[in-house]
Amino acid sequence: MATVNEVREYNRMQRFEGMTIPPAIMSGFPNTNKAHEATAYYPLNTPFKSFGTPIPDLKYDNLTRFSSRCIVANGDGQILLICVGEGPGSYYKFPGGGLEPGETFMQAAKREVKEETGCIVKIEDEARFATSQEWRDASAGKVQTQISACYRAELVDDSGNANLTQEEKDDGGFRNEWVSVSDAMDKLETCKPPNAFGKMVVQRELFFLEEYGKSVLGKALDIPSGPI
């Protein structure tokens, strides 16, 4: 977690000073410095959506995870989905995961894509196009709030192998699937996650796919608004 001074400098460089702290963040960060710190991850020019509900009176100061996600496109106009697990309980997600100490969002995005898929990608400086926040309770694995930045990425090399964690292997492993944007939407809409965690992941990815359609394809996608 960055120090308050580091975040202030980040805010200054990114011209975030003076921005309004989203009410949802303020409710979870009663400590003013922590709330200020959290605002560094909400650029004014990217769409934002929140999933779930904060637990009343719970202080999220030390229960926050920052992560990066990527929608990777290849030269054939397809994007990369990860199928998590096998069989009826499998579901889909975009590559990504939590920031390690000292990492930027972009560095984490590139690393996570390589670890989860074996792919090397290129991400431009202005490629961040959406931000989400998940309020997770015990039914979603653990009590925390997760803030995710999503980037557009271009495939450079897909000849590598994934380097999955033991937890990811225990979940049934990951399988890369290159699909059209419309097929990605269909797969996300129709998959049946086995638990609350997977359902929230799919809701998040549908939001990112919708914003990807607007920012890259220049059109709104027909994304369902109801629960998964």
Side-chain angles (χ1 to χ4, degrees):
M1 181 71 72
T3 67
V4 172
N5 286 336
E6 289 172 336
V7 170
R8 284 174 179 160
E9 176 63 12
Y10 181 88
N11 280 355
R12 185 187 66 78
M13 294 178 65
Q14 298 297 322
R15 299 178 183 177
F16 291 167
E17 291 291 357
M19 69 181 293
T20 301
I21 299 174
I25 292 184
M26 281 302 294
S27 68
F29 293 89
N31 180 295
T32 302
N33 287 338
K34 283 290 185 180
H36 177 77
E37 186 173 313
T39 65
Y41 302 95
Y42 287 80
L44 292 174
N45 62 341
T46 62
F48 167 78
K49 189 169 184 177
S50 179
F51 301 92
T53 305
I55 299 174
D57 300 322
L58 180 64
K59 311 308 180 188
Y60 284 86
D61 296 54
N62 298 313
L63 298 172
T64 304
R65 182 176 191 253
F66 298 101
S67 67
S68 290
R69 312 285 157 188
C70 263
I71 296 186
V72 181
N74 64 16
D76 296 323
Q78 298 172 311
I79 61 174
L80 179 57
L81 272 182
I82 292 176
C83 182
V84 180
E86 298 180 355
S90 63
Y91 63 95
Y92 290 89
K93 77 179 201 77
F94 295 118
L99 273 65
E100 293 184 350
E103 274 190 321
T104 65
F105 278 95
M106 190 180 295
Q107 290 169 341
K110 293 178 180 178
R111 175 185 54 77
E112 285 287 343
V113 171
K114 191 173 189 302
E115 289 178 355
E116 293 189 346
T117 72
C119 295
I120 296 174
V121 299
K122 175 183 178 182
I123 302 176
E124 301 291 346
D125 288 343
E126 301 300 322
R128 180 172 174 176
F129 66 90
T131 304
S132 73
Q133 183 168 21
E134 299 157 60
W135 299 96
R136 298 175 176 174
D137 58 23
S139 68
K142 64 189 303 184
V143 176
Q144 67 176 190
T145 184
Q146 175 171 269
I147 297 170
S148 296
C150 196
Y151 289 86
R152 299 183 301 272
E154 297 177 15
L155 176 67
V156 174
D157 183 2
D158 63 353
S159 62
N161 296 315
N163 182 22
L164 302 182
T165 66
Q166 189 59 50
E167 181 180 3
E168 289 166 343
K169 293 176 182 178
D170 291 343
D171 285 340
F174 290 175
R175 184 178 72 252
N176 296 353
E177 294 190 17
W178 290 99
V179 298
S180 67
V181 171
S182 60
D183 284 346
M185 181 176 64
D186 289 341
K187 287 177 179 291
L188 286 166
E189 286 181 2
T190 58
C191 67
K192 302 295 183 184
N195 50 40
F197 173 81
K199 291 177 180 178
M200 188 170 286
V201 166
V202 170
Q203 289 177 331
R204 179 193 69 209
E205 310 304 49
L206 282 168
F207 164 65
F208 286 149
L209 186 60
E210 179 181 24
E211 295 305 324
Y212 179 84
K214 294 176 184 176
S215 65
V216 175
L217 306 179
K219 64 180 182 179
L221 302 176
D222 186 17
I223 302 293
S225 59
I228 299 299

